Amino acid sequence: MTVIATILGTLADLQNQYSEADFVVLTAEERLSPHGVLHSVGGRTLRVSLPRGTELVDGDVLAIADQVAIAVQSAPEQVLVITPGDALTWGIVGFQLGNLHRPVRFTQTALLTPADAMIATMLERLAVPYEQRLTPFVGRQYMFQSSSHAHSSHQPHHHDLPHPQAET
């Protein structure tokens, strides 16, 4: 079995290179996992080993075999679709979800997070409109590194600061 190490492109980009599509249907968590064995709706098996940090998105083509593009499709999941009405409420909801280390996806009109009774109760207390839906957990995702981040993109430095000496 061939190991897929790169995404070929998107269905739209490669539309002239295939005649039909077969899909691997993945949850948000599965789309974040760059390694493993995937099974398509059509019964094809793929071994995937993508670069660390790769996130698969709808329409990513993993392989083309016999004029069939094998592409990613986001699975429907139970999510809370949160629709804050103003900038202040967007900020409050974003802060609360970030403070609770909740996965969040951003669209032009809503924030999405996996359905959770505690989050629903918090939103009700804040009087923020939301609804629970079975829909793909997609949208923009922002991830920031903590102080234990990698140093590959800039000069090495130390997080330890010198401690002032106590005067006697």
Side-chain angles (χ1 to χ4, degrees), residues 30-119:
E30 292 167 333
R31 291 190 319 270
L32 286 171
S33 179
H35 304 285
V37 176
L38 306 177
H39 303 281
S40 74
V41 173
R44 293 171 175 85
T45 300
L46 305 169
R47 179 172 294 270
V48 178
S49 183
L50 298 167
R52 186 179 191 141
T54 300
E55 178 180 6
L56 296 169
V57 297
D58 273 331
D60 279 347
V61 175
L62 302 174
I64 299 176
D66 300 323
Q67 291 293 307
V68 177
I70 304 166
V72 173
Q73 183 177 30
S74 297
E77 302 179 61
Q78 288 293 328
V79 299
L80 299 179
V81 180
I82 307 163
T83 52
D86 56 50
L88 177 63
T89 307
W90 273 86
I92 291 168
V93 171
F95 172 82
Q96 292 295 339
L97 294 173
N99 194 44
L100 295 169
H101 301 277
R102 298 290 304 172
V104 178
R105 300 296 175 116
F106 298 87
T107 70
Q108 290 293 324
T109 59
L111 292 93
L112 283 69
T113 191
D116 180 290
M118 179 190 73
I119 300 301

Side-chain angles (χ1 to χ4, degrees), residues 122-142:
M122 177 195 75
L123 294 168
E124 289 165 6
R125 287 184 181 157
L126 292 171
V128 175
Y130 76 93
E131 64 178 289
Q132 184 169 330
R133 267 192 230 156
L134 180 64
T135 189
F137 183 40
V138 296
R140 290 190 75 167
Q141 176 182 8
Y142 295 93

Side-chain angles (χ1 to χ4, degrees), residues 115-167:
D116 180 290
M118 179 190 73
I119 300 301
T121 299
M122 177 195 75
L123 294 168
E124 289 165 6
R125 287 184 181 157
L126 292 171
V128 175
Y130 76 93
E131 64 178 289
Q132 184 169 330
R133 267 192 230 156
L134 180 64
T135 189
F137 183 40
V138 296
R140 290 190 75 167
Q141 176 182 8
Y142 295 93
M143 297 181 67
F144 297 99
Q145 298 291 335
S146 68
S147 62
S148 61
H149 62 280
H151 296 277
S152 60
S153 63
H154 58 275
Q155 295 297 320
H157 64 275
H158 299 285
H159 290 278
D160 299 326
L161 298 175
H163 297 286
Q165 296 291 331
E167 292 185 20

